[in-house]
Amino acid sequence: MITVSLCMIVKNEEAVLARCLASVKDAVDEIIIVDTGSTDKTKAIAKEFTDKVYDFEWVNHFAKARNFAFSKATMDYQMWLDADDVMEPTELEKFVALKKTLDASVDVVTFRYHTHFDLDGKPVLTSTRERLFKRERNFQWNDAIHEYILMAGTILHEEIAISHKKVGSSGDRNLQIYRKLVATGKELSPRETYYFARELMDHGIHEEAVVYFNRFLDDGLGWFEDNIASCFSLSRCYEALSQRDKILPILFKSFEYATPRAEVCCQIGYYFKTLHDYQKAIFWFDLALKLVKNSKGFVLNDYWDYIPAIELCACYGQVGELERSYHYHLLAAHYKPNASAVLYNADYFAKQGFGAKEVDVDEKN
């Protein structure tokens, strides 16, 4: 059975660190905590789980801190978590089973990463992240912010999930790190350009976000998943800037990189729904519902089931096809029974005399 060193960097994480470590301690063989300047009880909490607690002077560079943490590992594989990550018990069991069966020839293992959740705790944003690394390969972290490891060798993709359950907000920390990098004259890599654009968009700085998303796409050097995500994000920026003439062209551009993605199809559906062109909207929402998830990038889960279902309910209602509208109401209710739109529609259909019935999710049409 392989052994695993959990390597973490932390700062002022007293609210969440114990939760994180308690969730995973029974599955790892070594815990290494690198503190980058805590002024609360973070280090004291860390020492309740391990005696391997180190200090590292923060230099506005996450990769350097993570590489320092990795340098302290002594087990077969290195693993990383953020302090506000949690491994649920069912996922812990999968992880323990993986440790017992993992072939030593594997260099990197990716896990699923759930980072945003709805009110019922269902993940709405999921990505694939490199999570375990063979220590003897000496993998290195890169980039000051949104750091990553360039994967190489034998890579195994596992469905084990880590849940990112953030408490509070990091404010504009990430944005300011990028601002400082740009101010020093650093030429951003394609990946840095993409994530800088995302930070700008997330902070509502849409005009500048447009510049950097387009710069990223024009360079033509980015990962195709990030290219698709950039097209989707640009459509949202153009919408916020009331530049509607640019929305459809950038969404259709995403089809140059891979087969259609549900979030893009739904965004096209929203475009036509806003114009009250419900038949065209129905086409695109229906297509989104028929697609099969095939992405290793960021996956906006609701766009693959609930959103197109609830929008098809609305669109069919607008064109007077209440039976079909009711069908998609039931489908939406299957995915999110407590959603406010579902509850509202349930009341509406009850008043229209529609009785409760089952819906076969395999018969989406």
Side-chain angles (χ1 to χ4, degrees):
M1 183 169 68
I2 66 161
T3 57
V4 175
S5 299
L6 174 61
C7 307
M8 298 177 59
I9 60 173
V10 298
K11 181 179 180 181
N12 292 336
E13 302 286 5
E14 65 178 6
V16 292
L17 182 58
R19 181 188 67 180
C20 172
L21 295 177
S23 76
V24 75
K25 64 181 178 63
D26 292 335
V28 298
D29 305 280
E30 178 179 53
I31 297 176
I32 294 163
I33 305 293
V34 171
D35 189 271
T36 61
S38 292
T39 55
D40 63 3
K41 298 178 181 178
T42 294
K43 291 173 66 175
I45 293 171
K47 289 176 181 178
E48 295 176 6
F49 292 86
T50 180
D51 59 356
K52 298 182 178 181
V53 179
Y54 304 91
D55 291 310
F56 183 84
E57 182 180 357
W58 180 242
V59 290
N60 279 337
H61 204 292
F62 281 89
K64 290 180 180 179
R66 290 207 189 274
N67 284 331
F68 178 76
F70 266 32
S71 74
K72 301 299 182 182
T74 64
M75 301 296 162
D76 300 329
Y77 285 81
Q78 299 146 314
M79 176 182 179
W80 69 276
L81 289 174
D82 285 336
D84 42 11
D85 289 340
V86 173
M87 185 173 281
E88 301 291 355
T90 54
E91 307 306 313
L92 188 71
E93 292 179 7
K94 297 177 188 177
F95 182 31
V96 171
L98 173 68
K99 287 183 61 181
K100 295 177 180 177
T101 60
L102 186 65
D103 191 299
S105 65
V106 173
D107 298 298
V108 181
V109 183
T110 71
F111 288 7
R112 302 300 284 163
Y113 199 22
H114 302 317
T115 55
H116 294 74
F117 303 83
D118 64 17
L119 295 177
D120 293 322
K122 180 181 177 181
V124 296
L125 179 59
T126 300
S127 63
T128 300
R129 286 303 308 265
E130 62 278 25
R131 192 62 66 173
L132 289 177
F133 308 89
K134 185 182 288 186
R135 183 173 60 86
E136 67 180 28
R137 288 293 304 270
N138 193 32
F139 286 102
Q140 295 293 299
W141 289 90
N142 303 277
D143 285 359
I145 190 73
H146 292 294
E147 66 280 13
Y148 73 101
I149 287 178
L150 184 62
M151 296 188 291
T154 302
I155 302 168
L156 177 67
H157 298 290
E158 285 287 325
E159 290 301 314
I160 301 169
I162 303 294
S163 296
H164 186 68
K165 298 191 173 182
K166 194 171 185 62
V167 175
S169 171
S170 58
D172 65 349
R173 177 199 63 193
N174 293 355
L175 179 62
Q176 292 309 315
I177 290 176
Y178 279 124
R179 292 284 195 206
K180 290 177 182 177
L181 289 174
V182 172
T184 63
K186 181 185 186 304
E187 182 176 348
L188 299 182
S189 69
R191 189 176 186 278
E192 288 172 321
T193 300
Y194 168 66
Y195 278 99
F196 184 28
R198 284 175 60 102
E199 291 290 342
L200 289 164
M201 182 183 71
D202 289 345
H203 286 82
I205 311 173
H206 295 108
E207 289 187 359
E208 195 174 356
V210 165
V211 172
Y212 280 91
F213 277 127
N214 277 311
R215 184 176 300 175
F216 168 75
L217 290 173
D218 290 344
D219 284 344
L221 300 174
W223 184 35
F224 76 97
E225 294 284 4
D226 292 343
N227 293 340
I228 296 169
S230 292
C231 292
F232 176 74
S233 296
L234 272 168
S235 75
R236 304 292 294 270
C237 290
Y238 289 141
E239 185 176 23
L241 295 169
S242 298
Q243 298 177 4
R244 291 188 55 80
D245 60 310
K246 297 181 179 179
I247 293 177
L248 281 185
I250 197 61
L251 289 170
F252 287 131
K253 183 176 178 61
S254 73
F255 299 158
E256 297 176 12
Y257 304 112
T259 54
R261 297 296 159 81
E263 60 268 27
V264 172
C265 292
C266 285
Q267 196 71 356
I268 298 173
Y270 282 132
Y271 178 89
F272 287 114
K273 183 184 175 187
T274 301
L275 297 177
H276 306 294
D277 192 340
Y278 297 110
Q279 293 296 344
K280 288 180 182 176
I282 285 170
F283 174 87
W284 289 102
F285 288 126
D286 180 63
L287 178 58
L289 197 57
K290 290 176 178 176
L291 296 174
V292 177
K293 291 182 186 179
N294 60 353
S295 173
K296 293 296 183 183
F298 291 101
V299 179
L300 296 160
N301 293 303
D302 285 353
Y303 283 94
W304 298 82
D305 46 43
Y306 170 72
I307 288 176
I310 199 71
E311 291 300 337
L312 284 167
C313 171
C315 289
Y316 275 117
Q318 288 291 336
V319 297
E321 296 189 37
L322 288 188
E323 285 287 349
R324 301 204 75 180
S325 177
Y326 183 57
H327 169 81
Y328 287 107
H329 157 66
L330 293 176
L331 189 59
H334 170 80
Y335 295 124
K336 287 185 181 292
N338 298 314
S340 59
V342 167
L343 297 176
Y344 177 87
N345 290 340
D347 181 64
Y348 169 81
F349 283 112
K351 292 177 180 178
Q352 300 301 312
F354 285 82
K357 66 178 183 178
E358 298 293 325
V359 63
D360 185 350
V361 295
D362 293 323
E363 296 291 337
K364 296 180 179 180
N365 296 309

